[in-house]
Amino acid sequence: MASYGVEDFVRDYDVSRETCARLEQFAELLSHWNRRINLVSKDSLNDIWRRHMADSAQLRDVIPVYDGALIDVGSGAGFPGMVLAIMGLADIHLIEANAKKCTFLRETARITGSPATIHNLRLGDSTASLAALPKAAIVTARAVSPLVKLLDIVFPIVYDKTYCIFSKGIQADDELKVARQSWQFEVQQIASKVEPGGVILKINNIRRHGS
């Protein structure tokens, strides 16, 4: 497979020179910090514009117009939340339980001038932690947990009009089947532009069975 680079990203996602420069800053910071803390696998850094940047950026066209906050759960190295913030989506909040990763995310937001708020917490640890979060219009997550567990994690911040946008791999159908044993929801599956066989799940009207 031919290498996918920044020029390919700009072509596919139609970003401005300024946005591209900020994403390049992000990529440089990630490479530098990854030598000290484990943010992403070393192999994936060799394909960062496809596996991380493009895989995150494609969510922009799936996310509906929203009034409220976009909360990215388990942000890790900032995918997809930091990419979406750099690309100009509004009121983005990144939730990450690892303090060192939060330090990286805050430094990235500062250097790239991205309007992202970083929360060092783990959903479910306490109800008090929820008080620090705004009302979620959109919830995103990438490579966090199987869907049935992920819905359990995010449910405390989900409201009637919240949309959950989750990137999933080739096991998405199996994950949906398991999740439906515990949850009711509406779902739209959108084919990934980046990962063969991957999908983006657009989920709303989430309810526990029996609630």
Side-chain angles (χ1 to χ4, degrees):
M1 179 185 294
S3 177
Y4 185 97
V6 61
E7 296 85 1
D8 302 291
F9 180 91
V10 171
R11 177 200 64 216
D12 292 343
Y13 295 96
D14 190 27
V15 297
S16 67
R17 289 184 180 181
E18 179 184 4
T19 297
C20 179
R22 292 163 67 202
L23 287 168
E24 288 181 298
Q25 282 182 313
F26 180 19
E28 290 172 6
L29 285 164
L30 180 61
S31 179
H32 176 72
W33 279 69
N34 209 56
R35 299 174 196 140
R36 291 183 284 164
I37 62 176
N38 184 30
L39 293 166
V40 297
S41 71
K42 292 181 180 179
D43 288 343
S44 73
L45 279 177
N46 297 325
D47 193 17
I48 186 172
W49 288 97
R50 184 186 69 85
R51 289 187 60 181
H52 295 303
M53 300 297 191
D55 194 45
S56 298
Q58 67 176 327
L59 300 190
R60 179 186 62 179
D61 296 330
V62 176
I63 294 170
V65 175
Y66 60 95
D67 180 15
L70 186 156
I71 298 182
D72 186 41
V73 176
S75 296
F79 304 110
M82 189 63 71
V83 173
L84 296 173
I86 292 173
M87 292 180 73
L89 273 72
D91 199 8
I92 292 186
H93 295 253
L94 279 59
I95 296 179
E96 173 53 48
N98 184 290
K100 290 182 179 179
K101 291 180 180 179
C102 285
T103 300
F104 164 73
L105 293 171
R106 291 189 180 103
E107 182 70 355
T108 298
R110 183 186 69 82
I111 290 177
T112 62
S114 303
T117 302
I118 316 303
H119 301 268
N120 183 196
L121 59 87
R122 186 189 305 275
L123 288 180
D125 279 357
S126 70
T127 55
S129 64
L130 299 180
L133 299 175
K135 187 172 182 177
I138 305 293
V139 176
T140 58
R142 176 178 182 259
V144 173
S145 295
L147 181 60
V148 65
K149 184 176 180 181
L150 182 54
L151 289 174
D152 193 55
I153 291 170
V154 305
F155 191 64
I157 61 171
V158 167
Y159 296 84
D160 289 343
K161 296 183 180 180
T162 302
Y163 276 87
C164 293
I165 313 294
F166 300 149
S167 298
K168 288 292 179 181
I170 59 175
Q171 302 298 322
D173 284 340
D174 291 337
E175 290 192 31
L176 283 166
K177 183 177 180 180
V178 172
R180 284 192 171 107
Q181 296 173 17
S182 303
W183 298 91
Q184 300 175 26
F185 51 83
E186 296 178 18
V187 61
Q188 180 182 358
Q189 297 187 56
I190 300 101
S192 172
K193 299 177 182 177
V194 176
E195 293 297 334
V199 298
I200 300 165
L201 301 180
K202 184 177 181 180
I203 300 175
N204 65 316
N205 291 331
I206 303 167
R207 297 286 187 276
R208 291 185 191 275
H209 280 318
S211 64

